[in-house]
Amino acid sequence: MAIREIKKYPESVLRGKTEPVEEFNEELQKLIEDMIETMYAAPGIGLAANQVGVARQVTVIDVSLGSDKEALIVLVNPEIVHCEGEESSEEGCLSIPGYTTMVKRFTKVKVQAQDRNGNPVEIDGEGLLARALQHELDHLNGKLFVDRIGRIKREFFKKRYSREKVGSSK
Ligand SMILES: [Zn+2]
């Protein structure tokens, strides 16, 4: 396993489309292992493959930050099939270090995906898990949480980021 470099806003790989995984081979297993290690090392509660520069539909999530062995979720080719409710909560992103803000999300989501071996899985998420699922699936569609905030807040964010040195983790 290896820790991979996390791509930072505004790198273009974060904005591109990701391709579905078709072969559940050794290369995929290596990518998943590296993503898990990179997420825990960061530390973060989720990581999408394009955040480590691989434009594939793969994400890893652990809202327990590694404290609960059962909490690790690996999703390949995930898709939200049901959502309900609405709530605002503070959100941040490993690709946008040093910036958090309130983001409105669905309270509950149901996601259909494949596991790391290609078997179908279904995940019901609520609260923080629902938020993490939506955040990571957004990544796989080239979307960032700053796209989901109001225009004025977004302008403010862009100004601040263009002033700061990109990649600074402060
Ligand atoms: Zn993120």
Side-chain angles (χ1 to χ4, degrees):
M1 295 210 290
I3 294 175
R4 301 202 187 185
E5 185 205 342
I6 297 176
K7 305 293 176 188
K8 304 284 177 4
Y9 174 91
E11 286 193 59
S12 59
V13 69
L14 296 170
R15 289 307 197 179
K17 234 179 93 74
T18 54
E19 295 295 324
V21 170
E22 275 157 18
E23 283 184 63
F24 292 77
N25 54 18
E26 220 165 282
E27 192 189 327
L28 176 70
Q29 306 309 321
K30 171 101 179 70
L31 170 67
I32 290 169
E33 288 304 317
D34 287 357
M35 283 173 64
I36 292 168
E37 194 177 350
T38 305
M39 171 178 72
Y40 286 145
I45 63 168
L47 192 69
N50 49 343
Q51 286 184 280
V52 294
V54 179
R56 285 286 161 136
Q57 287 172 19
V58 181
T59 181
V60 297
I61 294 172
D62 184 346
V63 294
S64 84
L65 283 168
S67 66
D68 175 4
K69 275 203 170 117
E70 313 270 280
L72 177 65
I73 296 170
V74 175
L75 298 174
V76 179
N77 303 328
E79 194 184 354
I80 292 177
V81 294
H82 179 76
C83 45
E84 61 181 88
E86 197 179 88
E87 65 183 18
S88 283
S89 192
E90 191 88 6
E91 207 167 308
C93 179
L94 294 174
S95 293
I96 310 178
Y99 183 75
T100 61
T101 190
M102 298 297 278
V103 183
K104 206 185 280 177
R105 297 280 189 186
F106 298 114
T107 311
K108 285 185 184 179
V109 294
K110 186 191 285 290
V111 171
Q112 283 177 351
Q114 285 165 284
D115 68 11
R116 57 193 299 167
N117 301 309
N119 305 308
V121 287
E122 202 171 84
I123 304 279
D124 285 298
E126 212 183 318
L128 183 59
L129 177 57
R131 181 166 294 272
L133 287 163
Q134 291 167 81
H135 182 110
E136 300 313 326
L137 267 70
D138 267 0
H139 270 302
L140 299 180
N141 290 312
K143 240 178 157 47
L144 297 169
F145 78 104
V146 292
D147 302 331
R148 295 197 177 275
I149 60 182
R151 192 176 55 84
I152 293 168
K153 252 169 46 172
R154 196 164 58 238
E155 289 307 315
F156 189 77
F157 160 78
K158 279 186 187 159
K159 256 191 213 139
R160 192 184 125 176
Y161 248 77
S162 60
R163 270 205 315 269
E164 272 178 28
K165 214 169 79 189
V166 172
S168 146
S169 57
K170 243 178 87 184

